Amino acid sequence: MNNIIVLPLVIPIFTAVVLVFLGNHIVVQRIISIITMLAVSIISFVLLELVQREGILKIAFGDWEVPFGILFVADTFSVLMVLTASIVTMLCLFYAFSTIEKRHENMYFYSFVLLLVAGVNGAFLTGDIFNLFVCFEVMLMSSYVLVALGGEKVQLRESIKYVLINVVGSSIFLIALAYLYGTVKTLNMAHIAERVAEVGQDPMLTTVSLVLLLVFSLKAGLVLFFWLPGSYVVPPAAVQALFAALLTKVGVYALIRTFTLMFPHRPEVTHTIIGVFAGLTIILGCLGALSSRNVLRIAAYNIVIAVGFILIGLAVGTEIALAGAVFYLVHDMVAKALLFLLVGMMLYLTGEKLIDYMSGLIRNYPLFGWIYFLAMLALVGIPPLSGFVGKVLIGKGAIEAGSYILLFLGFASSLVVLFSLLKIFLSSFFGETIITNEDKKPFPAASMASLVAFSFCIAGIGIGAEKLLVYVLDAANTLVDPSVYINAVLRES
Amino acid sequence: MEQVMMILIGILVSVATYLILSRNMIRVIIGTAVLSHAVNLLIITVGGLKTGNVPLLGHGVEPFTDALPQALVLTAIVISFATTAFLLVLAYYTYKTNGSDDFKELRGMTDE
């Protein structure tokens, strides 16, 4: 029965391979990919319910005894991430149908999206740190292709930097793994956690944890986000939205996993550094978002701000704060994808990137304008939309732990988010329209469907917060008390 | 033996760092390839070099060599080969479309 854990990884990979053989049948590819993502979403939901009923599930591949083989572990946190990632991907695919160019679709676009999802889901579900590396690589390899696909001048220029940075990052990840294996002689995350707790987190292990912090910060865009605004804005809108929703969040997930499960014993070193990093990320991200008049860059810097905000939750480390981090992570995956899809649609409709050349979009496309307004409110954290509960919980945790500087930075960043998004809203949506009725492009129907579905999601997460909080609190409970996870993986069979 | 390996790894990492910091695209890519080799050697060395027999059940020959680092390195090698191959193709196309393999010329304007 536990075999269901592996399906969110296996189904997308299998379908991706099948789609390669359907190279010329674009419509068939579309239908199959959307059905696949729907199936994965349903399976993750079933898995979520199963985890609630039966506790943390695991599957050891090839029935190897637990610390020795490779295994997948499904706890509420990881399954929640898988579910969100799958739903976001499904909606982004809908958006892609009407906006992506034919030359992308002919170059196995859907296969690479599915491989990306497989890597992301694998990274969420794996219980073995070397497999985390492998899933990262699966995910990164398809992201390299998706950044470069299309082969425009800017895309190639930015993708080579993106690839090089990530290759070096992966090497550093392996260095950390080598020293970790040399010290604790195991790669199973629960087993590492147990051994680290047994021998105490000595300076050697703390150093290893800091190298891991460096690597995951690079992937998550925590402080080391210099590559992010360049490479996230070059691919087509649907891909940007996928990247914004999934790639950095996998880094954040890995950070939370590492510093709650494996290395929680020296919070005065590790968590302080994470706190400083989170504060710096928020400040630098805000400066970036304020300084730009390019819609794509404003959106990209908003990713950075959100990453900083989520990691306040980890730096504070109380149960409430971690629950807030998990909730905000779910919200941010949905809301950031929506923001990028909206921004991409603005580009498609007007052909302009700078807000100075757009005006009056809400007169031509009223519903589009209102969805942007809704997304803006959600990202700022206005109740009852999705951002609110996460912000409140993280704030509450920060007050409990007395981290007032982080609390101030976090809530001040909301104002900057509001300001930067309002800047787009006022100058691009309000004012005199510059698009005449003859020039007005028809709004692609499938994209509108996807945007509406996304707005229902953010409203649903906000209004149904009570339902979601059950899962989130369970996830935070496991994060605060790693022995739950360790016992579930190592003891019970 | 481990000490010798560590010195070799140190040399490889410094060579790789030097190459990665250069401006030429191909040199940077070679740098990443060298770095990945250094890391692979590090995994093997940190896991313990060959100290005994193959870890087969029922042979009764002590001590055993840990086989896991070799499996890890095998995976890491495959991944680094794939990324290096991809990088070389990407570099070729970047050179062809942008007309330069110098990173200083590939910086690009912030708002274009």
Side-chain angles (χ1 to χ4, degrees):
Chain A
M1 187 58 204
N2 282 357
N3 287 345
I4 188 174
I5 301 172
V6 84
L7 291 181
L9 174 82
V10 168
I11 295 177
I13 288 188
F14 180 75
T15 326
V17 174
V18 171
L19 290 187
V20 171
F21 294 102
L22 298 168
N24 295 320
H25 304 84
I26 303 292
V27 179
V28 184
Q29 284 201 28
R30 287 176 176 180
I31 295 169
I32 293 181
S33 53
I34 208 84
I35 289 174
T36 309
M37 285 327 295
L38 187 67
V40 174
S41 308
I42 292 170
I43 288 168
S44 350
F45 188 73
V46 171
L47 194 54
L48 187 63
E49 288 300 322
L50 210 63
V51 172
Q52 296 307 305
R53 259 208 323 275
E54 297 178 13
I56 295 171
L57 299 172
K58 64 168 187 229
I59 174 170
F61 295 127
D63 253 344
W64 280 76
E65 248 180 82
V66 162
F68 304 113
I70 295 169
L71 82 165
F72 267 24
V73 180
D75 73 338
T76 315
F77 182 30
S78 50
V79 180
L80 212 52
M81 292 293 109
V82 171
L83 178 63
T84 321
S86 308
I87 292 175
V88 167
T89 313
M90 183 172 70
L91 297 180
C92 285
L93 277 177
F94 254 120
Y95 182 92
F97 292 159
S98 55
T99 55
I100 207 96
E101 289 169 45
K102 191 120 176 54
R103 65 196 170 109
H104 287 106
E105 291 188 308
N106 280 332
M107 291 311 290
Y108 310 108
F109 172 76
Y110 296 112
S111 294
F112 285 115
V113 170
L114 289 173
L115 286 173
L116 180 83
V117 177
V120 169
N121 286 348
F124 287 144
L125 287 171
T126 182
D128 169 304
I129 197 154
F130 192 78
N131 266 51
L132 184 66
F133 165 75
V134 174
C135 289
F136 261 72
E137 289 303 314
V138 170
M139 169 187 100
L140 287 173
M141 201 68 184
S142 23
S143 77
Y144 300 159
V145 177
L146 286 172
V147 173
L149 203 63
E152 281 164 33
K153 222 171 164 178
V154 196
Q155 280 188 314
L156 289 170
R157 197 186 70 207
E158 293 302 330
S159 65
I160 190 139
K161 295 175 204 165
Y162 174 70
V163 178
L164 279 170
I165 286 162
N166 277 305
V167 167
V168 175
S170 301
S171 289
I172 301 174
F173 193 177
L174 276 177
I175 293 174
L177 285 184
Y179 281 115
L180 189 60
Y181 184 73
T183 325
V184 297
K185 293 285 171 203
T186 178
L187 290 165
N188 182 310
M189 295 207 280
H191 205 201
I192 293 172
E194 199 180 50
R195 291 242 170 118
V196 170
E198 269 169 21
V199 300
Q201 194 177 323
D202 58 10
M204 174 72 197
L205 283 169
T206 310
T207 314
V208 170
S209 77
L210 290 180
V211 179
L212 285 175
L213 172 66
L214 193 77
V215 176
F216 296 145
S217 299
L218 189 70
K219 315 263 176 204
L222 179 70
V223 183
L224 308 169
F225 60 78
F226 49 86
W227 51 271
L228 192 147
S231 48
Y232 273 30
V233 300
V234 290
V239 178
Q240 285 172 7
L242 275 178
F243 281 16
L246 305 181
L247 289 191
T248 50
K249 304 305 178 289
V250 176
V252 174
Y253 169 85
L255 275 173
I256 295 180
R257 214 18 124 212
T258 312
F259 288 96
T260 56
L261 177 66
M262 289 186 282
F263 300 106
H265 307 291
R266 286 267 181 280
E268 70 276 9
V269 182
T270 49
H271 288 60
T272 312
I273 293 179
I274 294 173
V276 173
F277 274 20
L280 271 179
T281 312
I282 290 176
I283 295 171
L284 296 172
C286 287
L287 289 178
L290 290 175
S291 68
S292 187
R293 298 189 76 76
N294 179 331
V295 276
L296 284 169
R297 281 183 177 265
I298 294 177
Y301 279 110
N302 269 306
I303 304 179
V304 175
I305 299 175
V307 167
F309 190 77
I310 295 167
L311 287 165
I312 289 179
L314 175 61
V316 169
T318 59
E319 183 164 359
I320 294 286
L322 282 169
V326 174
F327 196 99
Y328 204 78
L329 207 51
V330 172
H331 144 74
D332 201 58
M333 283 166 96
V334 180
K336 277 287 139 49
L338 175 58
L339 178 67
F340 268 85
L341 293 183
L342 287 164
V343 164
M345 193 42 86
M346 288 167 70
L347 250 68
Y348 170 81
L349 292 173
T350 60
E352 295 288 347
K353 278 183 196 160
L354 300 182
I355 52 174
D356 309 272
Y357 304 123
M358 295 185 228
S359 183
L361 278 172
I362 203 166
R363 283 165 212 278
N364 302 85
Y365 312 100
L367 184 56
F368 178 54
W370 288 114
I371 291 176
Y372 180 88
F373 186 66
L374 200 71
M376 183 174 84
L377 294 185
L379 282 164
V380 177
I382 308 276
L385 294 165
S386 56
F388 175 67
V389 186
K391 285 210 164 153
V392 167
L393 289 174
I394 291 182
K396 213 169 149 191
I399 293 172
E400 256 175 30
S403 321
Y404 295 111
I405 300 175
L406 285 179
L407 180 74
F408 169 75
L409 283 175
F411 284 119
S413 77
S414 303
L415 284 179
V416 177
V417 169
L418 177 66
F419 178 75
S420 63
L421 295 177
L422 205 59
K423 192 162 77 176
I424 300 180
F425 193 61
L426 289 179
S427 105
S428 308
F429 285 93
F430 282 2
E432 283 303 307
T433 177
I434 47 170
I435 306 174
T436 55
N437 270 333
E438 297 93 72
D439 290 344
K440 188 176 158 181
K441 284 187 197 168
F443 206 100
S447 309
M448 189 44 105
S450 140
L451 293 180
V452 170
F454 263 118
S455 5
F456 274 113
C457 281
I458 54 174
I461 293 174
I463 293 164
E466 222 163 315
K467 290 246 162 46
L468 187 61
L469 264 180
V470 178
Y471 303 118
V472 170
L473 288 175
D474 184 47
N477 184 34
T478 315
L479 289 177
V480 166
D481 184 13
S483 62
V484 178
Y485 184 96
I486 296 169
N487 286 336
V489 174
L490 294 180
R491 307 281 186 287
E492 297 154 31
S493 53
Chain B
M1 192 60 194
E2 268 89 351
Q3 285 88 337
V4 182
M5 287 292 279
M6 278 310 192
I7 292 167
L8 175 67
I9 293 163
I11 293 170
L12 283 176
V13 170
S14 35
V15 169
T17 313
Y18 174 74
L19 286 170
I20 288 173
L21 292 177
S22 64
R23 271 166 56 182
N24 184 294
M25 206 189 286
I26 290 296
R27 284 163 74 105
V28 174
I29 294 173
I30 293 172
T32 59
V34 173
L35 182 62
S36 73
H37 287 308
V39 171
N40 292 340
L41 286 178
L42 181 73
I43 296 177
I44 283 281
T45 314
V46 168
L49 292 174
K50 189 166 189 287
T51 49
N53 221 320
V54 282
L56 289 178
L57 278 182
H59 266 240
V61 198
E62 299 276 344
F64 299 129
T65 303
D66 188 358
L68 193 60
Q70 298 172 18
L72 302 185
V73 164
L74 191 61
T75 317
I77 285 175
V78 173
I79 290 172
S80 81
F81 274 177
T83 40
T84 309
F86 181 78
L87 253 176
L88 285 169
V89 175
L90 192 64
Y92 173 67
Y93 272 95
T94 311
Y95 175 68
K96 242 174 78 172
T97 41
N98 281 281
S100 171
D101 64 347
D102 187 332
F103 274 110
K104 208 160 187 183
E105 288 168 27
L106 288 172
R107 285 172 69 176
M109 307 303 285
T110 40
D111 277 323
E112 54 187 341

